[in-house]
Amino acid sequence: MEIIDTHAHLGPSPTGVGTETSEQEVLEAMDAHGVAVSLVMPQSLQSDERAAHDRVHAFAQANPGRIYGMASISPLWDDTAYFAEARRCVRDLGFKALKLHPGSYNTSPLLPRAEKCFRAAAELGVPLIVHTGAGAPPSLPALVIPRAREFPEATIVLAHAGYAIYCEEALVAAETCPNIVLEPSWCQYYNARRFTRSIGADRMVMGSDHPANLPVELAKWRATGLSEADLAKCLGATARRVFKLD
Ligand SMILES: [Zn+2]
């Protein structure tokens, strides 16, 4: 089965998690664990987010069909600057998603300044990945529900699906909104199993967040006891459809 990692990062982590990920580390982890494709974005709070996107683009250019870019743009930027960078990343650089990190930017999805992130995803036809869990209350999964209803044409991926502690809430959000997809990195194996049995493998994707966490996530998915057909969707096929990977 094809394995797609929908949540990889490149470069430094200014949030203080203590990681800096190189291109080589991403590729080595993919090779070691049989991952065919990774979707890569900068960590949040880059001092120069445009330059960080350019680095991701160069990485994708050097690894066609294997690495795809995603844009992480500060929701603190005004509408004009935000949309200019979102359009550049998706239309010019071929990026496959936008990312909103409510915790890093202290931007609950309910705040007026978060609206443009959902609007941009809808306009550009790419999923919006919303970090959930750590960083609550702005990162509470349920806060995405009103925006998912406001933009039913947008696909919203809840990264970390509540981060274990708010898993039940992420499931409520996904059960409430058919345009929400769950990516359960850092959750427990039984959370991933429960999500898949509840909302279906067509709305589940795999993410690692860190190269060193990739084998952990893959082992977790194997431990769910899901059927091979469901695993094939959760680990790759659903991501290929949701992120429109050609
Ligand atoms: Zn992440």
Side-chain angles (χ1 to χ4, degrees):
M1 72 181 69
E2 182 186 49
I3 301 178
I4 299 177
D5 183 352
T6 70
H7 195 119
H9 291 284
L10 182 67
S13 173
T15 47
V17 181
T19 53
E20 166 137 18
T21 307
S22 69
E23 288 82 351
Q24 189 186 346
E25 284 174 300
V26 173
L27 293 172
E28 283 178 359
M30 291 171 69
D31 287 340
H33 305 292
V35 172
V37 177
S38 287
L39 284 86
V40 176
M41 61 190 145
Q43 297 276 5
S44 48
L45 297 170
Q46 298 297 312
S47 56
D48 185 341
E49 293 184 349
R50 294 178 185 87
H53 292 149
D54 289 342
R55 179 176 171 183
V56 167
H57 177 55
F59 187 30
Q61 288 283 95
N63 297 276
R66 189 142 166 73
I67 300 293
Y68 291 97
M70 303 190 290
S72 180
I73 309 169
S74 170
L76 306 180
W77 291 9
D78 67 27
D79 243 57
T80 304
Y82 185 95
F83 266 82
E85 182 61 0
R87 288 179 184 133
R88 182 181 81 94
C89 286
V90 174
R91 291 181 180 159
D92 301 342
L93 307 185
F95 283 16
K96 297 299 184 186
L98 305 178
K99 165 84 174 285
L100 168 64
H101 198 304
S104 293
Y105 298 95
N106 194 21
T107 298
S108 154
L110 303 179
L111 284 182
R113 65 173 179 258
E115 186 265 351
K116 61 181 170 291
C117 308
F118 295 84
R119 184 157 39 92
E123 177 192 301
L124 294 167
V126 294
L128 178 69
I129 297 177
V130 181
H131 168 102
T132 60
S139 297
L140 288 172
L143 302 185
V144 174
I145 292 173
R147 293 296 185 195
R149 286 176 164 159
E150 185 181 353
F151 295 95
E153 70 277 36
T155 297
I156 298 155
V157 179
L158 299 190
H160 321 310
Y163 226 114
I165 191 167
Y166 299 114
C167 273
E168 297 295 307
E169 192 177 312
L171 184 55
V172 169
E175 286 173 338
T176 303
C177 303
N179 54 330
I180 286 180
V181 169
L182 298 179
E183 179 276 285
S185 51
W186 309 113
C187 296
Q188 283 130 348
Y189 77 93
Y190 53 80
N191 301 133
R193 179 172 63 199
R194 175 143 184 248
F195 292 154
T196 307
R197 287 185 175 157
S198 173
I199 63 170
D202 292 312
R203 290 167 62 200
M204 298 296 305
V205 296
M206 188 276 288
S208 71
D209 210 4
H210 299 180
N213 191 47
L214 184 52
V216 179
E217 293 297 332
L218 292 174
K220 183 174 87 183
W221 276 103
R222 296 282 176 200
T224 57
L226 292 166
S227 70
E228 285 296 304
D230 275 353
L231 276 180
K233 288 182 176 179
C234 298
L235 295 180
T238 300
R240 188 162 279 285
R241 190 192 78 246
V242 165
F243 291 91
K244 299 175 185 166
L245 309 180
D246 310 304

